[in-house]
C-alpha cells in the first residue's frame, strides 16, 4: 500500500512539472506584467547589434498584453536569418524586467530585449516565447546582470 501511494504521489508531481526546456517567464512592463511559457532554444543566437545583448523572441499576440512596451524610443532593429529567409529585420523592444522561474531559484534580468514574431513560435501552442540560452547561463548571469 505504501509503495502504491509513493508511486501515485510521484506521478502526480511529475504531471505538474513543465516539460524539459520549458520555463515560466514573467515579463514586467511599466504598466502591467504577463506570464508566458518559454522554450529555451540553444539554437537561438540572436543579439541586438548595438549592445550585443541576447534577444528572446515573443509572439506578437502575447506581447500585446504587456502595455506600454511598444514605444518608439525602445524600438530595436534586430537582424536575423531563418529557414526560408536568408536576411530579415525583426522588430524588438526593451522590456524593463524578465523573471525566469527556474527549477531551484528564479533568475531576474533588467532591461531585456525581446524580438517580436508575427507568427506563432510553437506549432502546438505549448509556448509563446523562445528564450535565448545566455539568459539561463550562469557565466552570463554573473557577468552581465
Amino acid at each position: 500500500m505504501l509503495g502504491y501511494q509513493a508511486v501515485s504521489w510521484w506521478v502526480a508531481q511529475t504531471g505538474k512539472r513543465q516539460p524539459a526546456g520549458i520555463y515560466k517567464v514573467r515579463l514586467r512592463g511599466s504598466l502591467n506584467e504577463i506570464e508566458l511559457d518559454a522554450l529555451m532554444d540553444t539554437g537561438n543566437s540572436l543579439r541586438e547589434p548595438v549592445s550585443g545583448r541576447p534577444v528572446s523572441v515573443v509572439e506578437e499576440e502575447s506581447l500585446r498584453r504587456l502595455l506600454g512596451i511598444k514605444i518608439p524610443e525602445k524600438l530595436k532593429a534586430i537582424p536575423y536569418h531563418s529557414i526560408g529567409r536568408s536576411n530579415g529585420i525583426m522588430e524588438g523592444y526593451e522590456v524593463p524586467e524578465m523573471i525566469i522561474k527556474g527549477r531551484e531559484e528564479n533568475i531576474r534580468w533588467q532591461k531585456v530585449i525581446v524580438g517580436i514574431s508575427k507568427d506563432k513560435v510553437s506549432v502546438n501552442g505549448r509556448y509563446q516565447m523562445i528564450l535565448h540560452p545566455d539568459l539561463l547561463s550562469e557565466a552570463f548571469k554573473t557577468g552581465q546582470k
Side-chain angles (χ1 to χ4, degrees):
M1 185 63 152
L2 183 59
Y4 172 76
Q5 288 174 337
V7 169
S8 295
W9 176 85
W10 181 80
V11 168
Q13 295 305 309
T14 303
K16 292 179 187 175
R17 292 190 193 129
Q18 289 285 77
I22 305 281
Y23 294 83
K24 289 284 186 188
V25 173
R26 179 165 290 159
L27 297 176
R28 287 189 176 159
S30 54
L31 301 174
N32 69 333
E33 62 184 48
I34 61 173
E35 188 169 279
L36 306 170
D37 289 326
L39 173 72
M40 194 284 293
D41 181 4
T42 57
N44 177 2
S45 60
L46 286 175
R47 297 231 171 237
E48 194 276 325
V50 176
S51 67
R53 292 188 287 171
V55 175
S56 295
V57 179
V58 180
E59 293 176 352
E60 183 175 41
E61 184 179 315
S62 296
L63 195 63
R64 258 190 227 130
R65 298 185 336 235
L66 191 60
L67 306 175
I69 291 301
K70 292 178 83 172
I71 54 176
E73 54 270 16
K74 298 292 183 180
L75 176 65
K76 310 289 183 192
I78 302 156
Y80 74 96
H81 65 273
S82 63
I83 298 171
R85 175 168 234 158
S86 58
N87 294 305
I89 300 291
M90 180 182 297
E91 181 180 343
Y93 291 92
E94 185 179 275
V95 174
E97 185 174 41
M98 175 191 285
I99 300 167
I100 304 167
K101 293 186 178 183
R103 308 291 186 241
E104 303 295 321
E105 62 183 51
N106 293 342
I107 300 169
R108 186 179 306 259
W109 290 96
Q110 304 294 318
K111 298 181 180 177
V112 296
I113 307 293
V114 295
I116 299 175
S117 172
K118 304 285 184 196
D119 301 316
K120 296 278 186 191
V121 295
S122 169
V123 176
N124 61 8
R126 286 178 78 184
Y127 51 90
Q128 303 79 43
M129 180 177 192
I130 298 173
L131 276 176
H132 194 288
D134 283 356
L135 296 175
L136 293 168
S137 165
E138 202 58 39
F140 187 81
K141 187 175 102 174
T142 56
Q144 298 290 324
K145 190 169 178 185

